Amino acid sequence: MATLGEADADASANSPAPVVPSKRPWDQDVAEDPNTGTIKAEKVEAGDIDTPHMTLSESNPRSRDGVARVKKEFLIATAWSRRGEDMVLNDDAAEASRHGKQDEDGGSKGKKNRGQNKNRTFGVWKEEKTLCATRMLSPEFSPKECKFGDKCKFEHDLRKYLERKEGDLSTFDGDCPIWEAHVTCPAGWKCRFAGSHSKEVEREDGRSELVLLKDEAEDEERKRIAEASGYVVDELGLVNIVSTEAKFQLSRNQFKMPKSDQRQRQENRASYTEPPFLPSEKRRIYYGPETPVLAPLTTQGNLPFRRVCVSLGAQVTWSEMAMGRELLHGQPSEWALIKAHTSELSPPRFFPSEDRTNSVVEGYDNAKDSKFGVQIAANKPWLAMKATEVLTALCPHIRAIDLNCGCPIETVCRTGAGSALLEHPAKLEQALHGMNLVSNEVPVTAKLRMGWKKNDPNAEKLIKRLVLGGYEAMEKGAGPSGVAAITLHGRDKPQRYTKAADWSYIAECSAMINRLQKDSDAVADTAGELDDRYKPNGGKVYFVGNGDCYSQVDYYDHIKNAKVDSVMVARGALVKPWIFEEIETNQYLDKSASERLEYIKKFVQYGLETWGSDQLGVNTTRRFLLEWLSFSCRYVPIGILEYLPPKINERPPAFKGRDELETLLSSGNYKDWIKISEMFLGPPPPGFEFKPKHKSNSYDVEG
């Protein structure tokens, strides 16, 4: 890990293990000067700052025009020198982009390279004739029987397939990264590194047979560890894997959901044969300054990226937003979003204090907590309820289930889901209440935006309703929604990701939720004193803020001044996933280009484990890597900035890095992203295509 002004040539040798500061960073004063926008030097630990350009003093001017100030020696004069001004970055890519094409160009007509590339395609990467599944993991002379026989349309002759197959990749020194990590490779003969875990052996009859290598002792040891840990895991350490049979039952409407069906038929909890878990009886969770949260990021928040962030210090992770209706239809692509890795099952960081000032709820057991939660979207209360029941029935490793009430995409909102729920408080409350009734011991949470209309926030009223219960629910004696935590994104729906997040409004809501929990029976619009049985977490509803967190300075400023329990990081993690490491160590980390490349390598390794090491898996990994690089290229190295702290919405002029690799990693041209992918995945096949989301990344001159 390099400090400011240093360029580390070997990331693996010089990156120390994460350390916990002796003095907790949230107890320190970190505040931005309202007049200059700078951070006072005595109020923040910024690492080993030895560069005069980076003095953190009030005399340093900060940009007011949205341009990041880069040191003069790194500027390059080109026709496109003000790259930040020409790049239109509509960041809906970070929220629900795969659920439909975007509805707004985000740019002015008549200008080149503005707006978005709608209806993107990524080509076809199928093999001409792929190997039959009965041959994929079998020795050449003893394959499994194919039930289709001669009518099977796939290849049965292993040697013919290998002759026709794309050659083995030479990256990773020619060794299969999945085999190296797990001593097994599910892709078998289809793996692009198959030569590293196969051999040709001479049989007694003189024939040569192709066989796959297998370490049976290692396989048994892996099973033993899995059984001892209590995790139901596959051979690559993944959990929440739903069987094909269960998905088939869902697709045929044959999967039993007794709790939801009973709830729809009966209005009273008293009518239940089996009483549901009350909010006070559910598993308790914890959010604190030591638990930075990785936001649910559609497309980019995939399992490999979450694993990278967890390795760098993310303490809470969320699945990509899953659509409730598709889950109930057994859609395999939607259920794939619910898979998690065993690294996400470890408990979040937890520092209990003797005076309990960190609001640790009574009865919280950190050993039973985990990092991974699932976010769903639904436009009907019954849909949210049924999706929740199915999730808790089929996926045992879920920390909490979150209802998305903030997605701003029109294709989602038009159905009544996402931000559209902000306009229907009673429906929103009913959905959360129903989710709580069927989720067993799994807590239920909600993620909101400030409001549906421009400059007309209503999140404060919604939060009040969710904590105390609205009039309709209280009149029926149903109790409040029972949410264990609420996350607020400091923008309204029309803003999407434009303008800065409104942390002053988040602070107002935080103050209100604290008042409500201290004196809930004094609030006028409740039907009476709140029953303790309906209070989650022993009466503590956690409140998390979200929006524009791009450094440890932002993080601890929000903890201190907005009084939130924790902060959710979204685009900041996409641009620099080591933001979680910065939060943990409370200092700026000037990552060298070689260190950043190591994170890309790690993503590729995890991607091959997730999507497979065959031709399809390699190019699926490539596609999602390119999606991530479209964000990470925005990172401006700390060492070439004139002033700190960096701001997420500032764009730099054209600049060169401190070495060629750093310049390449900072390129905004998608052709350079493909070059980076080739370092680990080889050249893309003829059928592979990648259109960047933003037209501004399609310019012809390579960066």
Side-chain angles (χ1 to χ4, degrees):
M1 177 174 60
T3 53
L4 295 178
E6 298 176 333
D8 188 356
D10 188 350
S12 59
N14 295 301
S15 296
V19 295
V20 177
S22 57
K23 184 178 181 182
R24 295 179 182 175
W26 53 88
D27 295 327
Q28 303 174 21
D29 292 327
V30 285
E32 183 174 332
D33 187 286
N35 298 317
T36 64
T38 59
I39 301 297
K40 296 182 179 179
E42 66 273 19
K43 289 191 176 182
V44 61
E45 296 178 7
D48 300 326
I49 299 177
D50 54 8
T51 308
H53 295 280
M54 294 190 179
T55 305
L56 300 181
S57 66
E58 294 184 1
S59 61
N60 283 336
R62 281 305 300 261
S63 66
R64 294 291 181 184
D65 54 5
V67 177
R69 302 302 185 192
V70 174
K71 296 176 187 176
K72 292 181 179 179
E73 59 266 34
F74 297 103
L75 294 176
I76 55 177
T78 68
W80 209 48
S81 61
R82 297 301 294 273
R83 181 176 70 165
E85 291 184 351
D86 286 340
M87 291 181 73
V88 178
L89 301 175
N90 186 329
D91 282 341
D92 293 329
E95 195 166 3
S97 65
R98 67 186 181 84
H99 295 294
K101 68 178 184 179
Q102 306 306 308
D103 299 272
E104 296 178 10
D105 283 339
S108 303
K109 293 182 179 179
K111 291 188 177 182
K112 296 181 180 180
N113 293 332
R114 304 284 288 185
Q116 302 178 42
N117 284 319
K118 298 183 179 181
N119 299 323
R120 295 188 296 162
T121 59
F122 301 96
V124 179
W125 322 314
K126 293 181 180 179
E127 296 173 310
E128 182 181 345
K129 189 175 183 181
T130 191
L131 188 66
C132 180
T134 60
R135 306 300 194 262
M136 192 169 71
L137 298 172
S138 302
E140 182 183 8
F141 297 158
S142 53
K144 295 179 181 178
E145 183 180 355
C146 178
K147 64 180 181 179
F148 298 103
D150 295 336
K151 295 181 180 180
C152 182
K153 62 181 180 180
F154 300 114
E155 181 63 73
H156 284 199
D157 188 316
L158 179 58
R159 290 188 184 265
K160 280 185 180 180
Y161 170 77
L162 293 178
E163 288 175 5
R164 190 170 54 246
K165 190 187 85 165
E166 193 80 23
D168 278 5
L169 290 173
S170 59
T171 57
F172 295 99
D173 297 323
D175 296 325
C176 174
I178 301 176
W179 174 265
E180 290 295 309
H182 303 281
V183 202
T184 186
C185 178
W189 294 111
K190 295 174 69 175
C191 176
R192 292 294 306 279
F193 301 89
S196 66
H197 49 71
S198 65
K199 64 180 180 179
E200 193 167 6
V201 296
E202 291 290 331
R203 296 303 181 192
E204 293 180 358
D205 59 3
R207 294 188 302 169
S208 296
E209 182 183 20
L210 294 170
V211 297
L212 292 168
L213 302 178
K214 186 175 182 181
D215 191 327
E216 295 182 359
E218 182 71 22
D219 193 45
E220 289 299 320
E221 177 65 12
R222 184 168 51 250
K223 291 179 181 177
R224 186 193 66 78
I225 294 174
E227 290 174 1
S229 67
Y231 297 149
V232 180
V233 301
D234 77 346
E235 55 195 355
L236 301 184
L238 302 183
V239 298
N240 294 339
I241 299 173
V242 178
S243 68
T244 303
E245 181 183 359
K247 295 173 193 170
F248 180 82
Q249 290 177 348
L250 286 166
S251 68
R252 295 296 187 271
N253 199 24
Q254 297 171 353
F255 192 89
K256 303 298 182 184
M257 290 173 268
K259 295 180 180 179
S260 297
D261 293 339
Q262 188 177 27
R263 171 64 181 170
Q264 285 184 280
R265 290 193 304 265
Q266 303 166 342
E267 299 209 1
N268 275 297
R269 184 178 282 109
S271 314
Y272 274 81
T273 318
E274 240 180 82
F277 281 76
L278 292 169
S280 60
E281 300 170 328
K282 293 180 182 289
R283 188 193 320 120
R284 298 185 178 183
I285 56 177
Y286 170 73
Y287 284 103
E290 66 269 44
T291 60
V293 182
L294 175 64
L297 301 165
T298 301
T299 303
Q300 277 80 9
N302 48 62
L303 194 152
F305 181 74
R306 297 199 310 269
R307 289 182 65 182
V308 171
C309 290
V310 167
S311 72
L312 292 169
Q315 297 301 308
V316 177
T317 61
W318 290 98
S319 73
E320 300 176 59
M321 183 182 74
M323 304 301 289
R325 193 174 298 276
E326 277 71 15
L327 290 175
L328 293 182
H329 289 167
Q331 188 77 29
S333 59
E334 214 70 18
W335 279 102
L337 305 179
I338 315 302
K339 292 180 183 178
H341 188 259
T342 49
S343 62
E344 297 179 273
L345 303 187
S346 58
R349 190 163 46 233
F350 173 57
F351 300 145
S353 59
E354 294 180 3
D355 59 0
R356 305 186 72 78
T357 54
N358 57 353
S359 302
V360 177
V361 296
E362 187 176 352
Y364 171 72
D365 186 352
N366 179 251
K368 293 182 178 180
D369 202 353
S370 64
K371 294 182 173 70
F372 178 73
V374 171
Q375 187 186 67
I376 63 173
N379 60 350
K380 306 284 186 184
W382 68 263
L383 183 59
M385 182 169 57
K386 288 196 170 188
T388 299
E389 182 173 0
V390 171
L391 281 168
T392 52
L394 297 177
C395 303
H397 303 293
I398 297 177
R399 182 185 202 241
I401 299 177
D402 185 79
L403 181 63
N404 183 307
C405 312
C407 177
I409 304 302
E410 293 299 333
T411 49
V412 174
C413 293
R414 275 199 298 266
T415 68
S419 292
L421 289 172
L422 301 175
E423 279 287 270
H424 304 281
K427 183 198 287 189
L428 169 56
E429 183 184 8
Q430 186 182 356
L432 291 167
H433 189 271
M435 291 168 66
N436 254 313
L437 288 177
V438 301
S439 67
N440 296 330
E441 75 280 358
V442 179
V444 170
T445 65
K447 185 171 186 283
L448 316 175
R449 278 196 174 223
M450 288 168 46
W452 171 261
K453 299 176 183 177
K454 187 176 181 179
N455 300 323
D456 185 22
N458 68 336
E460 196 169 2
K461 294 179 181 178
L462 283 173
I463 291 170
K464 188 175 181 181
R465 172 187 277 265
L466 297 183
V467 173
L468 301 176
Y471 177 77
E472 301 89 345
M474 302 304 287
E475 191 177 47
K476 294 178 181 179
S481 66
V483 288
I486 296 172
T487 300
L488 179 60
H489 185 164
R491 292 181 175 90
D492 54 40
K493 186 261 182 187
Q495 278 183 278
R496 297 203 175 189
Y497 287 88
T498 60
K499 300 183 180 179
D502 189 347
W503 276 91
S504 62
Y505 184 78
I506 294 176
E508 291 175 17
C509 293
S510 178
M512 182 205 65
I513 199 171
N514 288 327
R515 289 196 306 269
L516 291 181
Q517 293 180 116
K518 289 179 182 177
D519 194 18
S520 60
D521 58 336
V523 181
D525 63 351
T526 59
E529 186 176 352
L530 191 59
D531 192 325
D532 286 344
R533 295 177 301 167
Y534 302 125
K535 294 180 179 179
N537 286 321
K540 172 68 175 178
V541 178
Y542 287 103
F543 188 62
V544 179
N546 174 217
D548 296 348
C549 183
Y550 192 49
S551 69
Q552 81 284 0
V553 175
D554 294 333
Y555 184 87
Y556 291 118
D557 174 66
H558 300 327
I559 294 287
K560 179 180 176 61
N561 296 324
K563 307 295 184 185
V564 292
D565 293 301
S566 185
V567 177
M568 180 177 282
V569 187
R571 290 178 300 161
L574 291 172
V575 176
K576 55 171 189 177
W578 60 91
I579 185 175
F580 298 105
E581 197 177 355
E582 290 187 331
I583 291 169
E584 185 172 352
T585 59
N586 194 29
Q587 62 178 357
Y588 295 106
L589 300 178
D590 187 15
K591 295 289 183 177
S592 67
S594 60
E595 287 177 293
R596 292 166 61 190
L597 195 66
E598 279 296 311
Y599 300 144
I600 294 172
K601 179 181 180 181
K602 188 179 290 188
F603 177 93
V604 171
Q605 291 174 315
Y606 296 157
L608 294 175
E609 290 184 23
T610 302
W611 296 301
S613 54
D614 59 355
Q615 181 73 354
L616 179 62
V618 165
N619 285 296
T620 301
T621 299
R622 190 194 309 274
R623 180 247 159 141
F624 284 103
L625 172 62
L626 296 175
E627 297 281 14
W628 176 30
L629 293 176
S630 72
F631 278 87
S632 66
C633 71
R634 303 184 197 178
Y635 175 67
V636 184
I638 291 290
I640 72 172
L641 281 174
E642 285 193 332
Y643 307 117
L644 297 177
K647 297 293 184 182
I648 195 168
N649 290 324
E650 290 182 345
R651 300 286 174 254
F655 66 90
K656 62 181 179 180
R658 291 165 291 188
D659 54 44
E660 290 184 4
L661 180 57
E662 191 167 74
T663 301
L664 180 65
L665 292 174
S666 299
S667 170
N669 184 359
Y670 83 100
K671 294 180 182 179
D672 285 333
W673 309 341
I674 293 178
K675 286 181 183 177
I676 296 169
S677 77
E678 290 176 353
M679 296 180 187
F680 305 104
L681 298 170
F688 180 86
E689 298 176 8
F690 182 79
K691 290 183 181 179
K693 176 175 174 56
H694 305 292
K695 293 179 182 176
S696 55
N697 299 119
S698 303
Y699 60 95
D700 293 330
V701 180
E702 297 186 9

